[in-house]
């Protein structure tokens, strides 16, 4: 098996930063094509600041990763690809359920996994989300990661959506994406 490392980062509220290093293994599975799997997960302490809760959750995250079978690790890394005859196991479903939380650590872990899979993309791409109040998308997104999970709480925190209201649909999309509902 050949091994490669991939570091992915996520930011919390514009000041706290978390970085995780995924150790990936590349092996030949049933189909004969090389398939990647996660071998290990490490917190990159040199690139991580703030958010002490994250470390505890990452340890649990690592335990769940290590408990997966090789086939499940392949599927976790390549969710859109078949892994031969292996069905998704209970362990993999349990892993995904563990990322269903609405707390900011669950949201950041979801972001890190999506980045590892090259699938992280917010459903609203423009730099400014609320044109009436000139609120950047990044400000709205950080508010959502920090706990604003309704258009009303986003409006109270950022003022986005407090005039014509047409941006509320985009805010709802961002909330749904961040909570894993899209
Ligand atoms: S565009 Fe956000 S309130 Fe009008």
């Amino acid at each position: 098996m050949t091994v490669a490392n991939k570091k992915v980062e996520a930011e919390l509220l514009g000041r706290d930063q978390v970085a995780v290093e995924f150790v990936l293994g590349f092996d030949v599975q049933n189909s004969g094509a090389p398939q990647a799997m996660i071998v290990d997960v490490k917190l990159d302490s040199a690139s991580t600041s703030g958010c002490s809760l994250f470390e505890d959750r990452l340890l649990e995250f690592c335990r769940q990763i290590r408990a997966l079978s090789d086939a499940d690790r392949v599927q976790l890394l390549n969710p859109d690809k078949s892994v031969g005859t292996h069905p998704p196991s209970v362990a993999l479903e349990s892993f995904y359920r563990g990322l269903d939380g609405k707390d900011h650590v669950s949201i950041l872990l979801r972001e890190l996994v999506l980045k590892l899979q090259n699938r992280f993309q917010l459903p609203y791409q423009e730099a400014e989300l609320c044109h009436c109040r000139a609120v950047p998308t990044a400000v709205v997104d950080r508010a959502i990661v920090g706990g604003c999970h309704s258009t009303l709480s986003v409006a109270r925190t950022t003022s986005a959506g407090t005039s014509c209201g047409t941006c509320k649909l985009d805010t709802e999309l961002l909330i749904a994406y961040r909570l894993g509902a899209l």
Side-chain angles (χ1 to χ4, degrees):
M1 178 186 290
T2 57
V3 171
N5 292 33
K6 179 170 178 176
K7 189 166 88 171
V8 289
E9 299 179 349
E11 190 179 25
L12 169 67
L13 304 178
R15 55 185 173 83
D16 293 343
Q17 179 87 14
V18 294
V20 171
E21 191 164 345
F22 291 91
V23 183
L24 309 176
F26 296 87
D27 208 346
V28 176
Q29 296 283 316
N30 299 334
S31 64
Q35 290 185 307
M37 69 181 76
I38 298 171
V39 176
D40 203 357
V41 187
K42 302 172 183 171
L43 184 69
D44 183 340
S45 52
S47 305
T48 299
S49 62
C51 196
S52 58
L53 269 178
F54 191 83
E55 198 158 347
D56 291 341
R57 282 296 303 276
L58 187 77
L59 288 174
E60 178 57 31
F61 179 84
C62 292
R63 274 193 288 274
Q64 291 185 50
I65 291 278
R66 288 169 189 148
L68 297 177
S69 70
D70 284 354
D72 286 336
R73 293 182 203 195
V74 170
Q75 186 163 333
L76 179 63
L77 202 56
N78 306 291
D80 301 325
K81 292 183 182 169
S82 163
V83 286
T85 57
H86 299 286
S89 75
V90 173
L92 186 60
E93 289 167 18
S94 163
F95 174 83
Y96 277 118
R97 274 202 301 276
L99 291 181
D100 280 351
K102 294 183 177 180
D103 58 291
H104 71 266
V105 177
S106 294
I107 290 172
L108 292 181
L109 277 173
R110 192 178 298 117
E111 176 178 338
L112 292 167
V113 170
L114 289 173
K115 282 180 174 173
L116 176 70
Q117 296 168 330
N118 295 319
R119 293 199 308 157
F120 181 75
Q121 186 171 47
L122 294 177
Y124 184 84
Q125 296 292 305
E126 290 178 38
E128 185 178 87
L129 186 135
C130 178
H131 306 307
C132 291
R133 302 296 189 202
V135 183
T137 304
V139 170
V140 172
D141 184 49
R142 283 176 198 148
I144 295 167
V145 173
C148 297
H149 297 158
S150 69
T151 54
L152 184 60
S153 60
V154 167
R156 284 183 179 142
T157 302
T158 70
S159 82
T162 56
S163 184
C164 77
T166 56
C167 60
K168 286 183 182 177
L169 190 59
D170 294 319
T171 300
E172 283 173 358
L173 276 174
L174 284 175
I175 292 169
Y177 184 77
R178 280 301 199 172
L179 299 185
L182 283 188

